[in-house]
Amino acid sequence: MPWEPRPPLRVTVAASAERARWWKLCVERGRGMWLKPEEVLLKNALKLWVQERSNQYFVLQRRRGYGEEGGGGLAGLLVGTLDAVLDSTSKVAPFRILHQTPDSQVYWSIACGSSREEITEHWEWLERNVMKTLSVFDSNEDITSFVQGKIRGLIAEEEKDSFVKEDDPEKFREGLMKFEKCFGLPEKEKLITYYSCSYWKGRVPCQGWLYLSTNFLSFYSFLLGAEIKLIISWDEISKLEKTSNVILTESIHVCSRGEDHYFSMFLHMSETFLLMEQLANYAVRRLFDKETFENDPVLHDPLQITKRGLESHAHSEQFSAFFRLPKEESLKEVHECFLWVPFSHCNTLGKMCISENYICFASQDGSLCSVIIPLREVTGVDKADPANRGVSISTKGKTAFRFTEVRDFGLLVAKLRMKCNATVSPQHVISTEVAAGSVADSPKDFCARQSKMGQKDNSKTVSTEALMTVYHPQDAENLDSKMLKEKMKEQSWNILFAELGHGVSMFRTKKTRDLVVRGIPEALRGELWLLFSGAVNDMASNPGYYTELVEKSLGTCTLATDEIERDLRRSLPEHPAFQSDTGISALRRVLTAYAFRNPQIGYCQAMNILTSVLLLYAKEEEAFWLLVAVCERMLPDYFNRRIIGALVDQAVFEELIRVHLPQLTDHMTDMTFFSSVSLSWFLTLFISVLPIESAVNVMDCFFYDGIKAILQLGLAVLEYNMGKLLTCKDDAEAVTILNRFFDSVTNKDSPLPPAVQQGSNLSDTKSDHPKVDITDLIRESNERYGDIRYEDVESLRCRNRLYVIQTLETMTKQNVLRVVSQEVKFSPSDLEELYELFKKEHFLSCYWSANSPVLQHHDASLPYLDQYRIDCEQFRLLCHLLSPWSHCANRDSLALWTFRLMDESSNCLINFKQFACVLDMMYNGSFTDKLKLLFKLHIPPAFTEVESLNPSKGDELSKEELIYFSQLSVSSVGDNLESDSLKTSPEKGKGKVDIQMYLKQWQDELLKKESIKDLPRMNQSQFIQFSKTLYNLFHGDPEEELLYQTIAAVTSLLLKMEEVGRRLQSPISPVKSPVNVTEMAAEMPGERQEERSSEQTESSRAQSLEGNHEWSFAFEQILASLLNEPAFVRFFEKPHDIKAKIGSAKNLQLKARIRV
């Protein structure tokens, strides 16, 4: 709307009031405002405004007399006087932005501001996000319409933000109603938030609203009569990134099932992208990677997800990962404040982060200074220097930390006292200068103190010494040059401890990192690994846990323990510590205890190598907690069945190579080379490729800097060998170059004896590669790539996780399709579409349930075919959508019997191969095949008597009834054989998967050729139901009348044949023939016939029971009778269009789930 005071502008009284309200808000908030677009005629208005900036589509104007020296002359004085005497309803903002189109005298006001800075911010936003976009439109009308829609969306966005802050749900309720109306998703689908944005359809942007809900990303736009509706499942997204190009300055790129979607012109781009990233990763973790997700209670229930909850969860994850705290810790408070740093004699600005059990501080740059204070170590919390709002925290080591300029410091002191139950003595003297020289309990002292409390006598089972101290004790009397250097290193660390403190609450600064890069001394390595990894906190919080775990786990027999036993002797076999029973037993106990603790990971190759090195420098219990820290926090998902975490970090590594080593990227035609060659680097932290004396230096950096240290070192290795790699002709030559390089890496300062050093065992003549010292290599990696930030690595991890998981899913799909395609006649494209529908149905059952049993059906450790399976309820829905017989009145019963027929293992689940094969039979089978399928559906084990508990529903079955009947056991010929096969199922027993049994079953399946003579006979009740099913199938067919007559004639003929056969067998005692059934079959079809059908069935049952005579038919009899009926053969050989069914199913699958 315009900011003009009087006509000729068309401003109503209501508009003036609205304008005044906006101006008031603008002044109160101290920032510019977007305005609802309204026409402005500039014929006379130019005298009141001065143009400051302009371009082809926008004009920035300043109110005359505002901001000018001398008031802008007479005109400025008059305008200023006019503004001063006007009432509040006519106040005018001093700056505004107008939208214009070429060759038009009509302008539209779109923004105002109270200062030049505010209006400039809006102007720059328009130039960045809108200007280039407008060039794609062909007409001025389209340009104006787009700009108006965009501005209205921004206004709504600001209003939405204001109502969220004011806890006013009305606006959100309005957005929720629009969301439900536009997309028709189930009521349980929870809307998280929504944003105004533009969706690019080709080269033309469409202004609309982006809705983010628990399971879907949805977009809706309706402009100029054109409606655009887009629904994308989070689990289908393979790429989510912020991008920019010539037209789009900044946009969000979403790739789903091979299709690219671009969204741009967000008011809060970073916030929107972060939330989308969280929701996408939440979905893939919940649906694809439930191994790690089950331990995450915050996101376990999809109905409880909120925007605030997601943001809080993300902050807590960043907090615990940055400070290496237990994953259970959640961030409660953040205070910006100053911390007194005694060794620098100054205050450093940073943030104090408080969780349930820890107080942490990090300076603004993140690396200058950080401190972790466990509340278990706190002895006192006091107010210090109230004038500066100070808080002093004292610890058991008589160290005091003083924080100043803390907001609400009095309330914070009270909270912290309550948390740690600290008793404050009046005589307590706070001294921050003493903190520099005070020494807290070291991790070793603390662990020794804990071991005396409540632990059982574990000397017989748990080793209490690091293996290095047993097998390589230091000789203090005979010190060679290397040992002297080692003592100098120790002295450097002791000086650092005296300056920064010693123990869990020591200051961590740049000096600390510099000493770590040089290599931690052998005597301090285990202690500092424990400290830097955060394992010291896990161990302190769980006294006695490891000992109890060892007692419980020893003697257990699982697949993991079998694999552990095989790998024990392969773990550093050249080291004397693992050539004796002492080292082997300790390794066995740690690995078995961890497999018992975390059965979802159990044991994975490479864990034995890592644990061996940990046992060299740490006590057995410390080594266990270090392994926990590595597997569950520092290298998440590395050691699960699909090593997803390692694959994600390899993808991150590839991206960093593209950025930092572009010439290497240009030379390598296939980037997968880096993934294949670097997998062992990540899984074993370079232990498998470097000599042990050099690898431990890499582990020093890893425990201090995390995965960033491994990425940096990997880049340094490639850069060091750049020249040779660029001349390589193939991958094998590149691998050889890298292997020779690793063989040449040495640690000249290592105090280990030559017999243990792997690098020293290589003769100098073995390789012409010059020796490279590991310390120099690590230092160079820090200098060259130290600017890689922890936040950047985590962002790359998050983005590449989607790609990696979708790549694994694609691989699973390709393997399944390759196997199934040999069994069916569907085209490859149709089969792929069927797989996507099958998988989608599996996930739709997981979307809105906190504890969906379907989630348990997905197991990535199973063979490809069995990774996704569906139950009877899901199969029924797919049958309704895809089956050519879905029009049948008793379609629920048909779906139930079909499911029971395919469920050969009787576990109430079927895989895609079974699903595709039965569907292929319906579409592509011969007349005999289809008839045999129908015949088998009406005999055990598939057939069971079905009757709905609700007569008003007719043949429709409820979900509960369907599940009940699908689990019902029906005896049949060969049941004993089937039960025997179930007992030997490869999935049974102690969680093992017997691969040999799977191969045997597969071989038996190949040799199994079912003959029609092997089919059991069909009794009378089953035959009656078989006839009713045929009647239902014919309904609606053009030859319906002829088909009814045909089936009636065939039924009558079969019954007469059966009667004659019985009489020939027993001429003295003729069999009572069920005449009523014959009459029923001969009757014309109609509603009367169906009613009578049920009566005849009961009558025939009574007759059979009374006379104890059962008549039955063989499949050959039915086949021979029906082959003589051309109408019947034509019906079953009539082709059906599977493509049309698939297209319809894709559109109706979600709606079908909503109806259910």
Side-chain angles (χ1 to χ4, degrees):
M1 63 187 64
W3 290 112
E4 301 296 335
R6 290 289 182 265
L9 303 178
R10 295 173 287 185
V11 181
T12 64
V13 175
S16 298
E18 180 72 8
R19 180 183 60 203
R21 184 179 72 85
W22 279 101
W23 172 236
K24 181 181 179 183
L25 284 172
C26 181
V27 174
E28 288 176 352
R29 297 184 183 185
R31 59 182 176 87
M33 301 281 293
W34 298 108
L35 305 174
K36 182 179 178 182
E38 193 163 319
E39 282 188 28
V40 177
L41 298 179
L42 297 186
K43 184 176 181 182
N44 298 319
L46 290 175
K47 298 177 181 178
L48 303 177
W49 296 88
V50 178
Q51 181 171 301
E52 292 207 335
R53 292 190 187 184
S54 67
N55 56 42
Q56 189 177 3
Y57 300 107
F58 300 101
V59 176
L60 190 157
Q61 295 181 336
R62 172 180 50 81
R63 185 75 166 173
R64 190 179 293 276
Y66 185 88
E68 293 179 303
E69 294 184 5
L74 180 60
L77 182 61
L78 291 174
V79 174
T81 304
L82 179 64
D83 289 342
V85 299
L86 288 174
D87 59 15
S88 60
T89 61
S90 302
K91 290 292 184 184
V92 180
F95 293 94
R96 70 178 183 180
I97 296 176
L98 306 178
H99 164 59
Q100 65 171 348
T101 54
D103 305 324
S104 174
Q105 294 298 316
V106 179
Y107 288 66
W108 298 83
S109 62
I110 59 173
C112 70
S114 58
S115 68
R116 182 174 277 103
E117 291 76 14
E118 293 168 4
I119 204 67
T120 301
E121 183 180 345
H122 285 64
W123 179 267
E124 291 175 351
W125 189 92
L126 289 170
E127 287 186 329
R128 285 196 314 269
N129 295 280
V130 179
M131 274 296 297
K132 294 180 181 179
T133 304
L134 299 181
S135 61
V136 304
F137 291 100
D138 296 328
S139 67
N140 293 339
E141 291 78 9
D142 291 343
I143 292 174
T144 301
S145 176
F146 176 80
V147 171
Q148 290 179 352
K150 185 63 198 173
I151 299 303
R152 288 192 181 97
L154 294 174
I155 293 172
E157 184 86 6
E158 289 185 332
E159 288 182 334
K160 186 196 70 165
D161 288 344
S162 65
F163 81 72
V164 169
K165 295 174 183 176
E166 296 163 5
D167 293 327
D168 180 9
E170 281 302 319
K171 200 71 179 179
F172 187 82
R173 190 176 295 114
E174 180 183 338
L176 178 61
M177 291 176 64
K178 290 181 180 178
F179 170 71
E180 294 174 346
K181 180 181 178 181
C182 291
F183 304 104
L185 296 173
E187 293 182 2
K188 289 185 177 180
E189 180 62 16
K190 185 168 184 178
L191 178 64
I192 305 300
T193 188
Y194 57 96
Y195 299 97
S196 169
C197 72
S198 294
Y199 171 65
W200 287 78
K201 195 172 183 180
R203 294 177 57 86
V204 179
C206 305
Q207 179 62 31
W209 289 92
L210 181 71
Y211 296 88
L212 307 182
S213 59
T214 311
N215 299 293
F216 299 97
L217 177 155
S218 311
F219 177 84
Y220 184 81
S221 172
F222 186 83
L223 288 173
L224 303 176
E227 182 182 54
I228 297 177
K229 187 183 297 185
L230 182 71
I231 302 177
I232 301 174
S233 301
W234 292 116
D235 57 82
E236 294 178 347
I237 293 177
S238 58
K239 183 180 289 186
L240 181 64
E241 60 182 354
K242 285 195 284 189
T243 184
S244 60
N245 54 38
V246 177
I247 297 177
L248 299 175
T249 306
E250 194 173 25
S251 63
I252 295 177
H253 173 211
V254 178
C255 182
S256 170
R257 301 186 67 176
E259 295 183 5
D260 293 311
H261 307 275
Y262 292 90
F263 302 90
S264 67
M265 285 180 269
F266 291 94
L267 190 60
H268 305 292
M269 172 71 76
S270 298
E271 174 194 313
T272 308
F273 179 76
L274 180 61
L275 191 58
M276 292 170 69
E277 199 173 50
Q278 289 172 336
L279 286 168
N281 277 280
Y282 154 73
V284 298
R285 286 177 61 193
R286 180 167 181 260
L287 300 176
F288 295 111
D289 194 22
K290 62 187 179 68
E291 293 177 0
T292 55
F293 188 84
E294 288 175 351
N295 296 325
D296 197 343
V298 178
L299 300 178
H300 190 61
D301 186 356
L303 302 180
Q304 303 303 319
I305 300 297
T306 62
K307 179 183 176 184
R308 186 174 299 175
L310 284 170
E311 292 173 348
S312 175
H313 185 263
H315 292 155
S316 294
E317 280 190 332
Q318 294 170 1
F319 162 72
S320 58
F322 183 84
F323 291 105
R324 308 281 167 76
L325 301 179
K327 294 178 69 174
E328 299 77 24
E329 292 296 313
S330 59
L331 184 61
K332 299 298 183 184
E333 296 181 53
V334 178
H335 298 272
E336 190 170 278
C337 61
F338 290 90
L339 171 65
W340 172 253
V341 184
F343 50 87
S344 299
H345 301 285
C346 67
N347 286 309
T348 182
L349 177 64
K351 291 184 178 180
M352 178 199 296
C353 305
I354 301 173
S355 65
E356 293 93 337
N357 301 296
Y358 297 88
I359 303 170
C360 304
F361 178 88
S363 59
Q364 291 287 39
D365 59 4
S367 61
L368 179 64
C369 177
S370 65
V371 172
I372 301 171
I373 310 172
L375 292 181
R376 64 177 182 270
E377 295 290 306
V378 175
T379 59
V381 180
D382 298 281
K383 296 179 183 179
D385 192 6
N388 292 320
R389 296 180 294 176
V391 176
S392 177
I393 300 175
S394 305
T395 61
K396 293 177 181 178
K398 298 182 181 178
T399 305
F401 298 91
R402 189 181 71 187
F403 301 89
T404 55
E405 301 300 328
V406 181
R407 179 171 50 86
D408 298 330
F409 73 106
L411 182 61
L412 179 62
V413 168
K415 286 181 181 178
L416 293 179
R417 285 178 178 175
M418 189 179 300
K419 276 179 175 286
C420 58
N421 296 320
T423 54
V424 183
S425 171
Q427 289 81 21
H428 182 68
V429 179
I430 301 169
S431 174
T432 55
E433 295 299 328
V434 178
S438 61
V439 179
D441 286 343
S442 70
K444 286 190 174 181
D445 296 335
F446 182 81
C447 298
R449 187 171 72 246
Q450 289 289 343
S451 64
K452 298 176 183 178
M453 300 169 53
Q455 291 194 13
K456 301 177 182 178
D457 181 14
N458 58 4
S459 59
K460 296 181 180 179
T461 57
V462 178
S463 174
T464 57
E465 293 291 336
L467 296 179
M468 193 64 75
T469 61
V470 177
Y471 288 90
H472 308 295
Q474 295 184 5
D475 188 354
E477 296 180 358
N478 301 316
L479 297 179
D480 56 12
S481 59
K482 290 185 177 180
M483 285 305 301
L484 286 173
K485 287 185 178 179
E486 187 74 3
K487 291 298 180 183
M488 292 173 62
K489 278 187 182 180
E490 290 183 26
Q491 186 61 28
S492 299
W493 278 95
N494 289 330
I495 294 172
L496 184 78
F497 292 149
E499 184 179 339
L500 308 183
H502 190 180
V504 67
S505 298
M506 67 179 289
F507 285 91
R508 305 178 194 197
T509 65
K510 188 177 181 300
K511 288 184 180 179
T512 314
R513 174 180 276 109
D514 292 341
L515 287 182
V516 170
V517 168
R518 289 169 53 190
I520 299 176
E522 298 278 313
L524 297 174
R525 184 161 274 141
E527 172 188 338
L528 292 178
W529 283 359
L530 205 67
L531 182 68
F532 295 146
S533 67
V536 63
N537 295 313
D538 293 318
M539 189 165 66
S541 303
N542 299 277
Y545 174 82
Y546 175 68
T547 306
E548 295 175 7
L549 209 58
V550 168
E551 293 177 357
K552 292 178 182 178
S553 61
L554 283 182
T556 57
C557 182
T558 63
L559 183 62
T561 57
D562 293 345
E563 293 176 347
I564 289 170
E565 288 298 325
R566 284 199 298 268
D567 287 348
L568 285 176
R569 303 285 174 180
R570 305 173 187 169
S571 310
L572 299 184
E574 69 285 345
H575 199 287
F578 298 100
Q579 295 171 357
S580 68
D581 186 61
T582 302
I584 294 295
S585 297
L587 182 60
R588 177 188 293 112
R589 285 192 295 270
V590 172
L591 291 175
T592 305
Y594 186 78
F596 190 83
R597 163 191 166 87
N598 193 343
Q600 292 174 336
I601 291 180
Y603 171 76
C604 178
Q605 284 188 341
M607 288 173 66
N608 60 321
I609 300 174
L610 175 62
T611 308
S612 301
V613 178
L614 297 178
L615 283 168
L616 289 178
Y617 294 96
K619 298 175 184 178
E620 188 176 318
E621 183 180 7
E622 295 173 349
F624 169 79
W625 287 113
L626 281 168
L627 183 63
V628 170
V630 171
C631 294
E632 298 177 14
R633 289 202 310 272
M634 301 187 72
L635 297 179
D637 304 342
Y638 260 60
F639 301 101
N640 57 19
R641 295 180 178 92
R642 298 194 289 178
I643 58 170
I644 289 176
L647 297 176
V648 170
D649 282 345
Q650 283 186 298
V652 172
F653 187 51
E654 288 182 15
E655 285 206 36
L656 293 175
I657 292 173
R658 292 188 185 97
V659 173
H660 295 278
L661 305 172
Q663 61 271 46
L664 193 59
T665 306
D666 296 338
H667 176 72
M668 303 299 291
T669 56
D670 187 4
M671 289 293 288
T672 56
F673 163 75
F674 298 111
S675 297
S676 59
V677 77
S678 65
L679 181 59
S680 62
W681 303 358
F682 290 94
L683 281 175
T684 65
L685 305 178
F686 283 93
I687 298 173
S688 62
V689 294
L690 286 175
I692 182 64
E693 65 275 10
S694 300
V696 291
N697 283 40
V698 177
M699 294 182 68
D700 294 342
C701 298
F702 168 74
F703 281 120
Y704 191 84
D705 274 330
I707 193 63
K708 188 169 87 81
I710 305 301
L711 294 169
Q712 290 176 181
L713 184 60
L715 292 172
V717 168
L718 293 179
E719 185 184 18
Y720 194 94
N721 295 276
M722 176 82 73
K724 295 182 179 179
L725 290 174
L726 291 176
T727 61
C728 288
K729 299 178 181 178
D730 52 38
D731 291 352
E733 187 179 351
V735 171
T736 303
I737 289 173
L738 291 174
N739 287 338
R740 287 178 179 172
F741 170 77
F742 287 127
D743 290 339
S744 69
V745 176
T746 63
N747 187 350
K748 61 184 180 182
D749 295 331
S750 175
L752 294 178
V756 175
Q757 291 191 33
Q758 296 172 346
S760 64
N761 295 333
L762 299 172
S763 61
D764 294 336
T765 59
K766 187 174 181 180
S767 174
D768 57 353
H769 202 292
K771 297 297 181 182
V772 180
D773 187 68
I774 186 63
T775 305
D776 296 336
L777 187 62
I778 292 175
R779 184 185 295 111
E780 185 175 346
S781 72
N782 268 274
E783 292 173 354
R784 299 278 295 174
Y785 307 108
D787 57 343
I788 297 175
R789 300 186 309 154
Y790 162 79
E791 294 83 357
D792 298 333
V793 172
E794 288 302 311
S795 177
L796 289 172
R797 272 179 161 180
C798 198
R799 186 171 72 198
N800 282 284
R801 187 180 186 82
L802 296 174
Y803 169 75
V804 167
I805 289 182
Q806 293 295 353
T807 302
L808 292 174
E809 289 298 309
T810 301
M811 188 184 305
T812 299
K813 178 175 72 173
Q814 291 171 348
N815 282 284
V816 170
L817 295 180
R818 185 171 62 250
V819 172
V820 177
S821 62
Q822 301 173 10
E823 307 286 334
V824 299
K825 298 177 183 178
F826 291 127
S827 68
S829 59
D830 290 342
L831 192 62
E832 183 175 359
E833 294 285 3
L834 287 174
Y835 178 85
E836 294 293 347
L837 287 168
F838 181 89
K839 180 179 169 184
K840 187 67 176 179
E841 189 58 43
H842 169 92
F843 283 150
L844 284 172
S845 300
C846 312
Y847 280 169
W848 303 287
S849 174
N851 298 298
S852 172
V854 183
L855 277 175
Q856 307 304 321
H857 304 167
H858 178 218
D859 189 348
S861 66
L862 293 176
Y864 290 119
L865 278 173
D866 292 329
Q867 287 189 17
Y868 288 106
R869 293 172 289 175
I870 59 174
D871 59 21
C872 191
E873 166 65 12
Q874 296 166 297
F875 177 74
R876 172 174 67 169
L877 291 170
L878 285 176
C879 267
H880 290 179
L881 294 171
L882 294 169
S883 172
W885 303 338
S886 59
H887 65 278
C888 189
N890 63 333
R891 62 179 186 171
D892 280 3
S893 300
L894 271 181
L896 168 66
W897 298 331
T898 307
F899 181 85
R900 288 171 59 87
L901 179 66
M902 291 184 292
D903 184 19
E904 297 174 353
S905 60
S906 299
N907 61 357
C908 300
L909 296 170
I910 63 169
N911 60 33
F912 177 70
K913 179 182 176 182
Q914 295 164 321
F915 170 76
C917 286
V918 75
L919 208 60
D920 182 66
M921 188 80 70
M922 296 177 182
Y923 277 94
N924 303 317
S926 64
F927 170 77
T928 303
D929 292 334
K930 294 177 181 178
L931 192 63
K932 184 169 69 173
L933 174 61
L934 282 170
F935 183 88
K936 291 169 70 175
L937 293 182
H938 291 82
I939 59 175
F943 181 77
T944 181
E945 294 289 347
V946 175
E947 186 175 352
S948 176
L949 299 177
N950 188 352
S952 64
K953 290 188 175 182
D955 291 323
E956 186 177 342
L957 298 176
S958 67
K959 179 179 178 180
E960 293 73 19
E961 291 168 345
L962 201 67
I963 294 174
Y964 167 75
F965 287 125
S966 68
Q967 297 173 347
L968 199 62
S969 176
V970 180
S971 61
S972 65
V973 179
D975 273 355
N976 293 333
L977 294 176
E978 290 181 12
S979 62
D980 290 341
S981 67
L982 283 176
K983 291 178 184 177
T984 58
S985 172
E987 295 178 41
K988 304 292 181 183
K990 294 187 179 181
K992 293 187 179 182
V993 178
D994 192 338
I995 303 299
Q996 296 297 325
M997 186 60 66
Y998 270 115
L999 293 174
K1000 185 178 183 303
Q1001 287 186 0
W1002 177 59
Q1003 185 179 14
D1004 293 342
E1005 186 177 342
L1006 291 177
L1007 297 175
K1008 182 175 63 177
K1009 293 182 179 179
E1010 185 182 53
S1011 170
I1012 59 176
K1013 294 182 179 180
D1014 299 330
L1015 294 174
R1017 295 175 71 86
M1018 179 181 284
N1019 66 30
Q1020 64 185 46
S1021 63
Q1022 296 161 1
F1023 180 74
I1024 292 170
Q1025 184 59 59
F1026 176 75
S1027 302
K1028 291 172 66 176
T1029 298
L1030 290 178
Y1031 277 119
N1032 290 328
L1033 283 176
F1034 301 150
H1035 182 68
D1037 191 85
E1039 296 185 309
E1040 181 177 356
E1041 289 294 329
L1042 180 58
L1043 288 167
Y1044 282 159
Q1045 294 173 12
T1046 299
I1047 192 61
V1050 170
T1051 303
S1052 178
L1053 177 62
L1054 286 170
L1055 289 171
K1056 289 177 181 178
M1057 290 171 56
E1058 179 65 15
E1059 183 178 351
V1060 171
R1062 288 302 183 98
R1063 286 177 178 175
L1064 290 174
Q1065 290 178 2
S1066 305
I1068 301 175
S1069 173
V1071 178
K1072 295 180 180 180
S1073 176
V1075 181
N1076 291 332
V1077 177
T1078 308
E1079 295 173 355
M1080 173 206 73
E1083 274 192 22
M1084 291 297 292
E1087 294 194 6
R1088 288 186 300 115
Q1089 177 236 322
E1090 284 197 13
E1091 294 173 3
R1092 196 169 171 187
S1093 167
S1094 61
E1095 296 173 3
Q1096 310 293 355
T1097 305
E1098 296 300 326
S1099 172
S1100 61
R1101 285 182 189 164
Q1103 288 180 14
S1104 63
L1105 290 172
E1106 180 183 354
N1108 197 23
H1109 292 293
E1110 280 284 343
W1111 52 268
S1112 60
F1113 298 111
F1115 177 69
E1116 300 100 303
Q1117 293 175 287
I1118 298 175
L1119 177 63
S1121 301
L1122 293 176
L1123 277 172
N1124 292 322
E1125 302 294 339
F1128 205 91
V1129 175
R1130 282 197 305 272
F1131 175 82
F1132 278 101
E1133 289 189 343
K1134 182 169 54 179
H1136 295 278
D1137 187 3
I1138 183 66
K1139 290 185 181 295
K1141 277 284 187 180
I1142 290 174
S1144 174
K1146 289 166 67 175
N1147 295 327
L1148 298 176
Q1149 188 175 26
L1150 187 56
K1151 294 180 181 178
R1153 172 64 58 178
I1154 295 169
R1155 286 196 298 270
V1156 174

